[in-house]
Amino acid sequence: MSMMSPTELAVLILIGVVMFGPDKVPDMARKAARVFHFLKNIANSTRDQLREDLGPKYADLQITDLNPKTFVRKYVMDDFQDDINGIKADLEGVRNDLDSSINDFQTATADAPQSPSSANEPAARTVALGSVPVPFDSEAT
């Protein structure tokens, strides 16, 4: 909720003076302040009652936290954030393992002798990856 600019406030006061007269404007302002104070007290008592009913976990509950998106982000997702961070760390470890395996594979294939393939080669040629031969079919690729 945004604050009113001074010009908007002046226009509202001018409209109030024209509509109600200069003698009733102070009385109307007092009544408006009482209504505002009453509504603020209702909101604060409702917030305090919610805090009491929900328990100590929600002791820092604010009225703006009752927006469902804010509530879920603040109170539900925080509980899962440690789990999410753990999963991210595990995935990062898997990524590092895969990167090292790819690097090992690339260095192993770079060390292998390169020969031109021809149609006269046998169908089951093997390429050595470290110590394990891998079958290779030139017709399948």
Side-chain angles (χ1 to χ4, degrees):
M1 188 171 183
S2 64
M3 298 294 295
M4 292 191 322
S5 68
T7 56
E8 291 175 342
L9 185 61
V11 168
L12 287 176
I13 291 173
L14 181 63
I15 291 173
V17 169
V18 170
M19 286 182 65
F20 302 112
D23 55 337
K24 291 186 178 180
V25 170
D27 187 41
M28 298 288 262
R30 277 192 291 276
K31 286 181 182 179
R34 284 187 195 135
V35 168
F36 180 75
H37 183 68
F38 178 72
L39 292 175
K40 186 176 177 184
N41 284 340
I42 288 174
N44 287 338
S45 66
T46 303
R47 181 193 64 214
D48 294 340
Q49 184 67 33
L50 274 172
R51 284 180 180 171
E52 182 181 320
D53 290 344
L54 292 175
K57 181 178 179 183
Y58 301 100
D60 61 342
L61 180 72
Q62 297 295 323
I63 298 296
T64 56
D65 294 341
L66 296 179
N67 181 343
K69 288 182 180 179
T70 308
F71 187 84
V72 167
R73 186 180 326 114
K74 187 172 182 180
Y75 295 104
V76 177
M77 291 303 292
D78 286 347
D79 294 341
F80 297 114
Q81 193 61 41
D82 293 335
D83 295 335
I84 291 171
N85 291 339
I87 291 170
K88 284 181 180 180
D90 291 344
L91 289 176
E92 188 65 31
V94 169
R95 174 181 284 161
N96 292 338
D97 292 344
L98 286 174
D99 287 342
S100 67
S101 297
I102 289 171
N103 289 337
D104 292 344
F105 176 76
Q106 288 174 344
T107 56
T109 57
D111 293 343
Q114 298 293 326
S115 64
S117 64
S118 65
N120 297 335
E121 288 185 8
R125 181 173 59 127
T126 60
V127 176
L129 290 177
S131 62
V132 179
V134 177
F136 178 78
D137 185 6
S138 62
E139 294 175 2
T141 55

